[in-house]
Amino acid sequence: MNATGQHPFALPFPIADDSLVMGGVPISLLAERVGQTPFYAYDRRLVCERVAFLRSALPADIHLHFAVKSNPMPAVVQHLAGLVDGFDVASAGELKTVLDTAMASEKISFAGPGKTERELRQAVAAGIVVNAESEREILLLAEIGTGMGFRPKVAVRVNPDFELKSSGMKMGGGSKQFGIDAEVVPALLARIGDLNLDFYGFHIFSGSQNLRAESIMEAQEKTFDLARRMAAFAPGPVRLLNLGGGFGIPYFPGEQPLDLVRVGGHLSSLMPAARGDFPEAEFVIELGRYIVGEAGVYVCRVIDRKISRGQVFLVADGGLHHHLAASGNFGQVIRKNYPVLVGNRVIGEAAGAASVVGPLCTPLDILADKMDLGHARVGDLIVVLQSGAYGFTASPRDFLGHPQPVEILV
Ligand SMILES: *Cc1c(COP(=O)(O)O)cnc(C)c1O
């Protein structure tokens, strides 16, 4: 595929006869089995391995939660129910998916701004922990609890007074729609104590997609300090301390994987003091893309090969409408190529650059811009790696009315 015959990025999947193999099946056969392209395929073995790696690198009493919004496919969530310690949901739809698993309700938490009264009622009835993000939610929860004859489990999502440095997506610090500003939390904690609510603890999430160990280490330290300050005003012992997550995965050329072992080592050094200050607390880290992102691929087929004034275009049956993030339109400032390869001709013969575009009538519909894919022919399978998170459900699949992709777990 390039001058040295080497593939330019690390492949999480084996290659046999120049074909990508997933779940023991060559990608072309997998496409036959699915019965169509495009499709998403997620590899259960890679998910298991990733969870095992997290368990080995992080302190034993850090519990792992899966952030369902990163990949809410029911089969993936069922698979994870036996691997992680809890689920974090962000809607009643996700709540339904996790309640269909065997996960205990007190291991499920619900975060997100703008929870409706109906969603809060469902959460209270299910007995899950609600991460309250406003005074309105706190008052509503108490009212709902009184009506149903329960004491709703509530944790306070704190909008920290610090920011996660070098984060791909900042979700805390400064003015944010998420959580309750740290400076007004003490007064609200007093209210919680007066209401019919079962106070659980704190949820402090500062950002996503961070590849720098030092930034995550610093954020974790500041998170513990913030929790200590807030706990002084709490109406009861802290039983749940959700430290957020933010562990990133490499998507683009030159990005290095997060040094998880360093993050884990540093967290271990913080734990003795944390255990002393929060003797009743369960410590949680919530991760989405780090658990599933690298375990998934998006597969589409080349249906036309065109040359426009010297540039090769591989026109595929999938694109932006199925995989918004790979097209560069999901929060990226500058469009960069995801790792993309020809799944049934991984190395191939060196044939220069080509761009993979989709069938949509918009110039935004690009899956690969001038990558080393010139050897692809009509009928070949284009595989986008790093697609296990924020793919299928994070894409405008109705845009232009093309057929929907299928999702499988192998
Ligand atoms: C989206 C989200 C996550 C997951 O983020 P990843 O980058 O996928 O790990 C975790 N916690 C909260 C509160 C979120 O909103």
Side-chain angles (χ1 to χ4, degrees), residues 134-330:
S134 71
E135 183 179 14
R136 166 191 159 270
E137 288 185 3
I138 288 168
L139 297 177
L140 257 175
L141 281 169
E143 198 182 302
I144 293 165
T146 303
M148 288 188 193
F150 299 126
R151 286 183 78 214
K153 302 181 179 72
V154 61
V156 173
R157 180 169 180 181
V158 184
N159 176 25
D161 41 14
F162 60 86
E163 285 195 358
L164 177 55
K165 288 184 193 140
S166 3
S167 189
M169 260 182 227
K170 288 193 174 47
M171 291 181 66
S175 296
K176 288 282 180 300
Q177 71 267 51
F178 308 111
I180 299 169
D181 290 349
E183 50 278 22
V184 299
V185 167
L188 270 181
L189 288 171
R191 296 288 295 278
I192 290 175
D194 295 335
L195 293 165
N196 175 44
L197 292 170
D198 189 5
F199 173 75
Y200 256 62
F202 298 107
H203 175 216
I204 305 174
F205 183 78
S206 35
S208 264
Q209 182 46 24
N210 205 309
L211 290 170
R212 288 176 48 95
E214 307 78 53
S215 309
I216 292 176
M217 287 151 54
E218 188 188 320
Q220 288 176 341
E221 214 164 312
K222 289 181 172 170
T223 297
F224 277 126
D225 288 342
L226 177 58
R228 285 185 182 95
R229 279 188 277 139
M230 299 294 112
F233 302 94
V238 173
R239 284 172 288 159
L240 176 66
L241 184 50
N242 183 328
L243 305 165
F247 300 3
I249 60 172
Y251 287 102
F252 307 120
E255 287 186 340
Q256 296 302 316
L258 172 69
D259 187 347
L260 183 71
V261 172
R262 245 187 102 198
V263 170
H266 183 255
L267 192 53
S268 297
S269 75
L270 301 176
M271 289 311 290
R275 283 178 209 118
D277 292 336
F278 305 103
E280 294 181 40
E282 176 190 358
F283 299 97
V284 167
I285 281 192
E286 55 178 2
L287 300 170
R289 76 187 75 218
Y290 196 80
I291 293 177
V292 291
E294 299 188 64
V297 300
Y298 171 67
V299 182
C300 55
R301 197 180 291 280
V302 179
I303 53 176
D304 207 346
R305 190 179 196 279
K306 296 167 64 170
I307 299 176
S308 169
R309 306 208 165 106
Q311 191 181 334
V312 180
F313 287 93
L314 304 166
V315 186
D317 60 1
L320 166 156
H321 51 315
H322 297 163
H323 201 333
L324 190 64
S327 78
N329 295 293
F330 190 59

